[in-house]
Amino acid sequence: MSPELALGTVLGLLAMATVLGAVWRSRQGVVRDAEPGLVLTPETLQTRSDFGTQGTLVLFTSANCAQCPSARRLLQTRLSDEPGLALVEVDLTARTDLAADLHILQTPTVFVLDGNGLVLGRIGGVPRLAELEGLLIPLIERIPAHVG
Amino acid sequence: MSAETTTAAVRIDPRGPRFGAAITSTLLLITVYLGLTGLSTSGVAEASVAERALDPGFLLLAFVSLTFLVGAVAGVQRHPYGLLFRALVRPRLQPPAELEDAAPPTFAQFVGLLVAGTGLVLHLTGVAWAIPVAAGAAFLAAFLNAAFAFCLGCQIYLLLGRAGILRTPGVA
């Protein structure tokens, strides 16, 4: 191959990688619609953790996931003063069947569930706070003002 | 793989692997160029094994594979570029906001070794285009890591599972 054509190919590869990266990053942390009517329970997720009475955030993680710890910290911090909301973590490392069933292609992935386990939306990558708030608002508004 | 996550994790500055990925992606882009202009795209099948092994693209990809090997086996915290980062770059930076587990970037080194190593073997056996294609694929991952904080371990594990390669039995 001529040096000119090779150089053009290399620059094309660099441009393609840059576009790919920009598109990938623009989709990280934003809310996507879940499959309509999808309901999750502690049984389907095989977790011993309890779901929240008003809503649940399910954090899917895996081995070799560099961004999962920061997603966990972000969700823990956000839910620390929301007693009706629970954070449930599911490690997909040995559960690729579940990942396939739920069409999860990356970790961290967060599913936001209402009090009945209905999936309201999903976020791939570390959630952006504003995106997460949009999903939490209807859940928080439903929490009764009194307790007991 | 689960043993890595259960043993006490080595914590590293997350900027270290990205610094290394910047060097690696530069070398891989040069490898693609050398591969395209070298033996790989013009008569590798007719060349002798010695000629294939002395091709500049092959030699540079072999060097990059060697750094992947060190990272994958010794752990990314002992990677030569990581040592360079700690000696030259980190003293000039603010302390990191948070440390991260060394296992994910070490896993990425392993994947890089697999891709680049496949290219080397195919080239030695006379397969055309093996060097630029393998170097291009490895470049993509390294560049996205350096420029966009793309994490291979976050993406590839579940993709492999999706493809049925790692599918584990389901219990409903």
Side-chain angles (χ1 to χ4, degrees), chain A residues 30-133:
Chain A
V30 304
V31 174
R32 287 196 297 136
D33 289 337
E35 195 181 316
L38 177 64
V39 173
L40 296 179
T41 63
E43 288 71 39
T44 55
L45 296 178
Q46 288 186 309
T47 176
R48 274 173 297 227
S49 310
D50 290 327
F51 278 16
T53 51
Q54 302 298 330
T56 303
L57 271 58
V58 183
L59 171 63
F60 294 98
T61 63
S62 68
N64 298 311
C65 170
Q67 279 142 7
C68 290
S70 48
R72 181 185 305 126
R73 265 194 304 279
L74 180 126
L75 297 181
Q76 279 170 346
T77 307
R78 179 59 191 87
L79 294 194
S80 58
D81 53 355
E82 303 286 357
L85 300 180
L87 174 61
V88 171
E89 192 168 325
V90 176
D91 186 348
L92 291 174
T93 304
R95 302 288 320 276
T96 51
D97 56 313
L98 184 62
D101 291 345
L102 297 175
H103 309 291
I104 297 173
L105 286 177
Q106 67 165 346
T107 51
T109 286
V110 179
F111 278 33
V112 178
L113 282 50
D114 73 7
N116 299 316
L118 179 71
V119 181
L120 302 178
R122 54 188 290 170
I123 299 174
V126 178
R128 297 179 194 186
L129 260 182
E131 295 276 327
L132 182 66
E133 288 307 319

Side-chain angles (χ1 to χ4, degrees), chain B:
Chain B
M1 200 129 334
S2 57
E4 283 176 45
T5 53
T6 48
T7 50
V10 180
R11 316 281 297 169
I12 53 163
D13 185 333
R15 296 168 299 187
R18 288 184 69 182
F19 170 79
I23 299 176
T24 299
S25 60
T26 307
L27 293 179
L28 285 169
L29 203 57
I30 297 170
T31 306
V32 173
Y33 177 83
L34 293 175
L36 289 174
T37 53
L39 208 53
S40 187
T41 58
S42 59
V44 67
E46 291 79 36
S48 70
V49 174
E51 284 170 327
R52 290 170 192 161
L54 288 173
D55 181 61
F58 175 86
L59 290 174
L60 188 53
L61 191 58
F63 171 76
V64 173
S65 300
L66 200 65
T67 65
F68 282 148
L69 180 69
V70 173
V73 173
V76 77
Q77 69 277 9
R78 293 187 204 89
H79 194 287
Y81 301 152
L83 303 181
L84 199 66
F85 172 78
R86 260 180 283 173
L88 296 180
V89 184
R90 194 170 165 181
R92 296 159 202 271
L93 300 177
Q94 298 284 317
E98 54 188 20
L99 296 178
E100 73 172 22
D101 188 356
T106 299
F107 173 77
Q109 293 282 312
F110 176 74
V111 175
L113 176 65
L114 214 62
V115 171
T118 304
L120 292 176
V121 171
L122 290 179
H123 178 81
L124 280 183
T125 56
V127 177
W129 288 84
I131 297 293
V133 169
F139 161 78
L140 204 60
F143 174 78
L144 291 178
N145 180 229
F148 296 97
F150 174 84
C151 148
L152 197 59
C154 303
Q155 312 281 334
I156 204 165
Y157 199 89
L158 297 177
L159 277 180
L160 293 177
R162 185 71 173 273
I165 297 165
L166 288 171
R167 192 169 177 96
T168 50
V171 189

